[in-house]
Amino acid sequence: MAGLIFLFRPIASSPIATTDSEPITDVVLIGGGIMSATLGTYLTELEPNWKISMFERLEQVADESSNGWNNAGTGHSGFMEMNYTPEKNGQIDISKAVAIAQQFEVAKQFWSYQVKHGLMSDPKEFINPVPHIAFVWDKDVDFLTKRYAAMRQNPMFYGMQFSNNPTEISSWAPLIIEGRKADQPIAATRMMIGADVNYGEVTRQLVTGLKKSNNFDLQLNTEVTAISRNNDGTWSVGFTNLKTGKEDHIKTRFVFIGAGGAAIKLLQYTGLPEVDQYAGFPVGGQFLVTNNPEVVKNHTVKVYGKAAVGAPPMSVPHIDTRYLDGEKHVLFGPFATYSNKFLKHGSQTDLLAATHKGNVLAMLAVGAENLSLVKYLISQVMLTENDRFTALQEYYPKAKAEDWHLVTAGQRVQIIKKPEGGAASLQFGTEIFASKDGSITALLGASPGASTSPYIMLELLEKAFPEQTKNQWKPKLQAIIPSYGQSLEKNPQLLDSIRRDTSAVLGLIYNPEPKAQANNTEATSATAQ
C-alpha cells in the first residue's frame, strides 16, 4: 500500500529471563498519554493498593498524540461533526452522533469528579467554553436542514439552534460570513455547550494526581523494547533507559498499551495470535494557525464543514478556537501528510517494522479497495501554499495570507483489520484490544480518541476486569460517573442534571432551551415540515 516493499520477519519478543522471586507489579502502563493517564486514574481510585508503573519514551508525558499542538482539541460530542450523521435514502442517521455525545458526557463527569476531589486543578487550564457550529453552503443547506430536524428531537441535542440568516450566523461567527456573497445560500447550527479541550494539559494534571500515590511510579526517557508471557501467567516488559542505555525489565499481572500509533508494533511483541489480524496505516496532519489579535478576538467558536463527496472522515475541514499554552489561537485544517512514522517522534522504519507475512496481504487489499483515500493523500501531499490558503478562504473569505503560518500536528495510525475468515477493512474509529484472559490490552485507532477517553477506558475495564466492574467496583464507578450503566438519551432528566453539574464545575455554557430567533422564520418552517 503506498508502494512500499514489505519484509517478512518474526516480530514477537524473545522470552525475557525471569525468576519466581522477582517482585510483581499490578499494572504496567505503556505510554504517557491521555489513555494511560485516564486508566491509571481509574485504577488508583478503584484499587488504591495496586502498584502501577508508567513508561514514557519522551522526556515528559503528553508530548505525542495527546499534546495540544498534535491533537485537534475538539471535545467531540457529535454536535457539529457532519460525518457522524450520514444521509441514507433521504434520511439522516444520527445514531453515531448520539453515541459520541453520550460518551463525551462521561468524559465531563470524569473530569468534574477529579476537579471536585482535588486531583485536577483549575478547569480553565484544560477546558474552555467554545460553541460548536456546523456550517454549510449551496447544495448542502438542505442536508443541514434535515440534520437539524432529526437532531433537535433527541435529548442529547436539546438547545441546538439553526439559522439560514447571514446576519444571525454572523453574530455567531463573524469571520465565516464577512466577505461572503450576499446571495449565497448558507445555513448553520450551534450548540452553546461545546468546548475546546487541551488534552495535553488533561494528561499532565491526571499524572500529577497519580504521582500523589506512593504506589505509582513514572519512568520517563524509557522505551519498551519487549513484552513476553511468563509461565505463571504474568507478563515481563523489557525496557531501555534512552539516556543511560541501561536495560531492565518488570514483571506485571496486567499491561495496557496506550502508545498512540506505536500500539500495534508493541502488541506484536507479545506474539499473541489474535494480534495478527491488525495492521496500521499512518496519516499525519498540518494546520494553518493565526495569532493575529484582531482575528483571534472575533472567533470564539469551532466551525466544522462538510467533507467533499468521497473524501475520508479525517478530511473534514474546520476553523477552530484553541486555547494552548495560556494563549488563544485560531487553527484551520486539517491538511493530510504522509509519513512512514507511527509517531511524530517516531522512525521512518515504523511501518516497515510492523509489516509481516500475517498482515501484508490485508494491507495491500485495503489499499486496492480504498483508492479514494490513496488519491486523497496524494492530492494533499501535492498541495501548495496557495492551495491551502484557498481552502481557508472558503471558510474565512477575508483571510490574509500574512496572518497565517503552517504547523505540523501529530501522527495517527488508522486500523487495518482482517478478522479470521473475513475480509480486510480500513477503520477510522478507535478499538479496544484485549487478550482472551484480559491481562494485556491496548487502544488502537484515532478519532474521537482523546475526547472520549474516560468512556473508552471504562469499556476497557469492563473487558479486562468483568467481574470487578459488575460487583465490587460498581459503586465507586457510579460515584465517579453518575450516569454509569444508564442511557442519557433515554433519561433526559438525568442528562439535564448531569449537564448542569458538569457545566458548573468545568465552566461551560449550558442553555438547553434557547429563545427562538425572531429572524429565523425560514429555518423554523423548514424544520416543522
Side-chain angles (χ1 to χ4, degrees), residues 202-509:
V202 171
T203 304
R204 287 186 288 271
Q205 290 198 20
L206 290 176
V207 172
T208 297
L210 285 169
K211 289 163 72 173
K212 295 177 182 179
S213 168
N214 292 330
N215 289 321
F216 177 75
D217 176 56
L218 171 64
Q219 296 196 43
L220 301 172
N221 300 297
T222 303
E223 183 167 19
V224 170
T225 55
I227 305 172
S228 66
R229 194 72 182 255
N230 300 317
N231 292 331
D232 60 1
T234 63
W235 292 89
S236 287
V237 178
F239 54 88
T240 302
N241 185 300
L242 298 179
K243 285 196 170 181
T244 66
K246 182 182 177 182
E247 297 180 356
D248 205 344
H249 73 271
I250 186 172
K251 287 180 72 173
T252 182
R253 297 181 178 88
F254 175 77
V255 178
F256 171 66
I257 303 173
I264 290 178
K265 183 174 69 173
L266 289 165
L267 264 179
Q268 290 174 342
Y269 289 165
T270 67
L272 291 170
E274 54 263 45
V275 175
D276 288 345
Q277 66 182 310
Y278 293 103
F281 182 67
V283 179
Q286 293 179 317
F287 285 86
L288 288 172
V289 181
T290 182
N291 299 324
N292 182 308
E294 196 63 27
V295 176
V296 172
K297 181 181 72 174
N298 288 312
H299 194 79
T300 308
V301 289
K302 289 181 180 290
V303 178
Y304 266 51
K306 197 168 186 290
V309 176
M314 69 186 77
S315 67
V316 176
H318 45 100
I319 181 166
D320 290 0
T321 291
R322 297 296 316 278
Y323 292 92
L324 297 167
D325 306 325
E327 294 184 19
K328 183 183 176 189
H329 310 267
V330 175
L331 280 69
F332 175 77
F335 303 101
T337 63
Y338 181 78
S339 168
N340 291 332
K341 294 181 179 181
F342 278 6
L343 295 168
K344 185 174 182 178
H345 300 285
S347 166
Q348 289 291 351
T349 65
D350 285 345
L351 179 59
L352 198 63
T355 304
H356 58 94
K357 63 182 180 181
N359 62 23
V360 64
L361 293 178
M363 295 179 71
L364 292 171
V366 165
E369 293 172 5
N370 289 269
L371 293 178
S372 61
L373 173 60
V374 175
K375 182 180 178 181
Y376 165 75
L377 289 174
I378 292 172
S379 68
Q380 289 281 290
V381 171
M382 299 298 291
L383 287 178
T384 65
E385 186 175 331
N386 285 337
D387 292 332
R388 287 187 285 266
F389 183 66
T390 298
L392 168 63
Q393 286 183 307
E394 287 192 305
Y395 287 83
Y396 179 16
K398 298 187 75 172
K400 298 177 181 178
E402 61 268 23
D403 291 338
W404 299 79
H405 62 278
L406 191 67
V407 299
T408 298
Q411 286 286 107
R412 297 292 182 267
V413 174
Q414 307 298 331
I415 306 166
I416 296 173
K417 185 177 181 181
K418 186 184 183 305
E420 187 175 351
S425 63
L426 182 64
Q427 302 178 347
F428 290 102
T430 52
E431 179 167 336
I432 296 168
F433 171 88
S435 61
K436 292 179 181 179
D437 65 355
S439 64
I440 189 157
T441 58
L443 185 72
L444 307 174
S447 182
S451 295
T452 57
S453 48
Y455 173 85
I456 293 170
M457 291 300 99
L458 266 181
E459 281 198 313
L460 186 140
L461 287 172
E462 291 171 347
K463 284 192 172 186
F465 305 99
E467 293 304 316
Q468 291 95 321
T469 53
K470 290 177 183 176
N471 298 299
Q472 65 262 39
W473 288 356
K474 189 172 182 179
K476 186 65 176 182
L477 289 173
Q478 290 174 327
I480 299 171
I481 312 294
S483 69
Y484 181 61
Q486 302 183 68
S487 168
L488 291 175
E489 178 192 14
K490 295 178 181 178
N491 192 337
Q493 292 77 20
L494 178 61
L495 172 63
D496 179 66
S497 173
I498 284 173
R499 280 185 168 170
R500 290 184 187 279
D501 178 66
T502 58
S503 296
V505 173
L506 300 175
L508 302 179
I509 300 170

Side-chain angles (χ1 to χ4, degrees), residues 148 159-165 167-169 171-172 188 190 192 511 513-525:
Y148 170 68
M160 179 176 282
Q161 299 164 276
F162 177 101
S163 182
N164 51 21
N165 185 302
T167 301
E168 184 175 24
I169 297 173
S171 72
W172 298 352
R190 178 174 71 163
M192 292 298 293
N511 181 15
E513 297 179 358
K515 294 179 180 179
Q517 305 298 322
N519 56 355
N520 195 25
T521 54
E522 291 183 39
T524 302
S525 62

